[in-house]
């Protein structure tokens, strides 16, 4: 007798649990709920994309600053004191001579 009551209670409990889950799934399948989930997903995607763009721009600006810092000494060497570019012919550069056995100074 106790075994029958136990199994009746287990069956009734599982039926209630199943009914509650089915009602929840039915609520989630309504057009309004689906529309809300899609709207939330699109909004989240837009925020993530904006965040990505901001991080990418910051990284590009940082890299550009690094490149400009690397190139700046070269630019200063090619400019006169007042900022004008020097004539490349006026800069005295050592030139290597090419001999029969290779480069020679």
């Amino acid at each position: 007798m106790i075994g029958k009551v136990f199994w009746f209670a287990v069956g009734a409990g599982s039926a209630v649990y199943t009914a509650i889950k089915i009602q929840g799934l039915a609520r989630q399948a309504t057009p309004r709920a689906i529309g809300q989930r899609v709207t939330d997903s699109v909004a989240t995607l837009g925020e993530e994309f904006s965040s990505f763009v901001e991080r990418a721009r910051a990284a590009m600006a940082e890299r550009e600053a690094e490149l400009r810092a690397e190139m700046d000494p070269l630019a200063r060497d090619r400019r006169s004191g007042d900022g004008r570019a020097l004539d490349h012919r006026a800069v005295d550069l050592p030139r290597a001579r090419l001999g029969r056995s290779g480069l020679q100074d």
Side-chain angles (χ1 to χ4, degrees):
M1 176 73 174
I2 294 180
K4 290 181 181 181
V5 172
F6 171 76
W7 288 113
F8 177 78
V10 169
S14 65
V16 170
Y17 176 78
T18 304
I20 291 172
K21 284 296 186 181
I22 288 174
Q23 285 178 352
L25 291 174
R27 275 191 228 111
Q28 290 179 355
T30 62
R32 178 175 282 178
I34 292 171
Q36 185 63 40
R37 280 198 312 267
V38 168
T39 302
D40 293 343
S41 297
V42 169
T44 302
L45 181 64
E47 291 170 3
E48 290 175 0
F49 182 74
S50 296
S51 175
F52 167 76
V53 169
E54 289 174 13
R55 289 190 315 253
R57 285 181 179 163
M60 288 188 319
E62 181 180 343
R63 181 63 180 147
E64 183 178 358
E66 290 173 2
L67 292 172
R68 287 187 187 275
E70 289 177 13
M71 298 301 292
D72 191 44
L74 296 175
R76 277 193 305 240
D77 289 347
R78 293 186 187 142
R79 297 197 175 272
S80 63
D82 60 358
R84 291 180 293 126
L86 294 175
D87 185 7
H88 71 279
R89 292 168 286 178
V91 177
D92 185 25
L93 297 175
R95 297 187 181 220
R97 287 178 284 166
L98 186 59
R100 289 182 184 231
S101 62
L103 287 176
Q104 300 172 351
D105 286 331

